[in-house]
């Protein structure tokens, strides 16, 4: 004997991607048919507030690193600090940028031969993971102005080691470039950075010379931008001198 039984169940919600569904069952002559109606609404997923907390902004990290470097190289040093003592502070500042002697990133006063019997000994040379020299650092007492003689000493290291970038650290931080992007005879002073937290150029320095961010591509872009500014200033000076001479 054929008979028909119709049974309606309570709506059920399936926890698949937040999709809500209802199910009705119908049995006809020993056949079971399941009809699922999917609703078009997709309830918002609950997210863990802790998991999705935003990481500190990049600028904030750069600011924090620059502030620590200023503390090490300016705020926390005694007035008559010696060059050797100041060198230790510079090494600490390099650690802030993630360059470490322990991992072989920093050579301290390495000795290089040039010519038949001459040797030179820069203060610091920074290496890549492959032990390739990246840039050289010369350190001077922070209570002495950075003179042309100090710059020339850094230039000699850059030339003999064939390095495009050199950094002079003392009262301020000076970044020099010696490469194919300029036709100057001597390395070019790209930037002078005052060692205080108010100098916004410090954040740029941190971003360029932090180990994790370091790349010659970024440095070359910075160099080209700096050279354009230098050329504009030079053109302005030439124009002003020309106008004054005509008067």
């Amino acid at each position: 004997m054929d008979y028909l039984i119709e049974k309606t169940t309570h709506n059920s919600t399936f926890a698949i991607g937040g999709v809500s569904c209802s199910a009705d069952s119908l049995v006809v002559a020993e056949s079971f048919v399941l009809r699922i109606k999917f609703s078009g609404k997709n309830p918002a997923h609950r997210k863990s507030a802790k998991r999705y907390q935003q990481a500190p902004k990049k600028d904030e990290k750069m600011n924090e690193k620059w502030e620590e470097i200023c503390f090490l190289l300016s705020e926390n040093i005694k007035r008559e600090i010696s060059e050797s003592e100041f060198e230790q502070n510079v090494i600490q500042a390099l650690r802030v940028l993630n360059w470490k002697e322990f991992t072989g990133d920093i050579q301290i006063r390495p000795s290089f031969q040039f010519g038949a019997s001459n040797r030179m000994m820069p203060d610091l040379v920074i290496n890549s993971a492959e032990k390739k020299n990246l840039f050289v650092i010369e350190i001077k007492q922070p209570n002495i102005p950075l003179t042309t003689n100090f710059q020339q000493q850094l230039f000699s290291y850059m030339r003999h080691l064939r390095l495009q970038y050199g950094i002079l650290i003392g009262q301020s931080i000076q970044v020099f470039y010696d490469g194919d992007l300029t036709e100057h005879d001597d390395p070019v002073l790209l930037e002078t950075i005052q060692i205080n937290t108010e100098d916004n150029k410090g954040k740029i320095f941190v971003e360029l010379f932090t180990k994790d961010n370091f790349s010659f591509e970024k440095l070359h872009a910075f160099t080209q931008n700096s050279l354009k500014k230098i050329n504009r200033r030079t053109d302005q000076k030439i124009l002003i001198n020309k106008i004054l001479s005509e008067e």
Side-chain angles (χ1 to χ4, degrees):
M1 176 178 177
D2 292 339
Y3 53 92
L4 175 68
I5 299 175
E6 183 173 346
K7 184 178 179 181
T8 303
T9 62
H10 296 291
N11 289 341
S12 302
T13 301
F14 294 83
I16 303 175
V19 177
S20 173
C21 7
S22 62
D24 298 324
S25 60
L26 178 65
V27 180
V28 180
E30 298 183 358
S31 296
F32 181 80
V33 179
L34 179 67
R35 299 198 307 269
I36 301 177
K37 298 178 182 178
F38 291 88
S39 75
K41 296 181 180 179
N42 190 4
H45 294 274
R46 293 183 179 178
K47 298 180 180 180
S48 167
K50 188 175 181 180
R51 180 188 297 179
Y52 290 92
Q53 281 179 347
Q54 289 185 349
K57 292 181 180 179
K58 186 177 181 181
D59 284 349
E60 292 176 356
K61 289 183 178 179
M62 296 301 155
N63 274 335
E64 185 178 342
K65 286 179 180 290
W66 177 239
E67 287 171 2
E68 188 173 355
I69 288 171
C70 290
F71 176 78
L72 291 167
L73 302 186
S74 179
E75 299 167 13
N76 195 42
I77 60 173
K78 57 188 180 183
R79 184 177 178 82
E80 299 299 326
I81 189 171
S82 68
E83 189 172 304
S84 59
E85 289 174 320
F86 187 57
E87 180 182 283
Q88 294 305 311
N89 287 51
V90 172
I91 292 171
Q92 282 186 274
L94 288 169
R95 290 196 194 105
V96 175
L97 302 177
N98 210 28
W99 303 102
K100 300 176 183 178
E101 184 184 6
F102 172 74
T103 53
D105 303 327
I106 306 172
Q107 295 183 66
I108 300 175
R109 291 184 300 281
S111 180
F112 298 97
Q113 183 172 343
F114 67 96
S117 58
N118 296 319
R119 302 193 74 83
M120 62 179 180
M121 192 179 294
D123 289 328
L124 303 173
V125 175
I126 308 303
N127 301 327
S128 67
E130 296 75 28
K131 305 307 176 188
K132 178 182 177 182
N133 296 334
L134 298 176
F135 56 94
V136 60
I137 299 174
E138 185 62 18
I139 300 166
K140 299 301 174 186
Q141 284 178 270
N143 57 340
I144 301 174
L146 296 178
T147 65
T148 304
N149 288 338
F150 295 154
Q151 293 175 348
Q152 290 295 330
Q153 185 180 0
L154 176 65
F155 297 168
S156 68
Y157 298 147
M158 293 172 69
R159 288 284 169 89
H160 283 106
L161 295 175
R162 297 181 180 180
L163 295 175
Q164 294 183 25
Y165 293 94
I167 300 174
L168 187 58
I169 300 178
Q171 278 189 348
S172 60
I173 298 173
Q174 294 183 341
V175 181
F176 292 89
Y177 169 76
D178 186 29
D180 297 335
L181 298 177
T182 177
E183 296 178 357
H184 290 76
D185 293 332
D186 287 328
V188 178
L189 174 59
L190 297 178
E191 198 65 84
T192 296
I193 304 157
Q194 301 304 320
I195 307 175
N196 64 67
T197 56
E198 302 300 318
D199 195 334
N200 290 326
K201 291 181 287 188
K203 290 181 290 184
I204 298 173
F205 173 80
V206 169
E207 186 171 355
L208 288 172
F209 287 96
T210 295
K211 179 181 177 180
D212 301 333
N213 295 336
F214 186 86
S215 80
F216 283 107
E217 185 178 351
K218 290 179 181 178
L219 275 172
H220 287 164
F222 166 76
T223 300
Q224 289 174 328
N225 188 49
S226 297
L227 290 173
K228 286 178 183 177
K229 292 179 182 177
I230 293 169
N231 291 335
R232 281 199 297 269
R233 288 197 293 266
T234 303
D235 291 342
Q236 287 173 354
K237 288 180 181 179
I238 293 172
L239 181 60
I240 290 170
N241 290 335
K242 184 177 180 181
I243 292 170
L244 292 175
S245 64
E246 288 176 354
E247 292 178 354

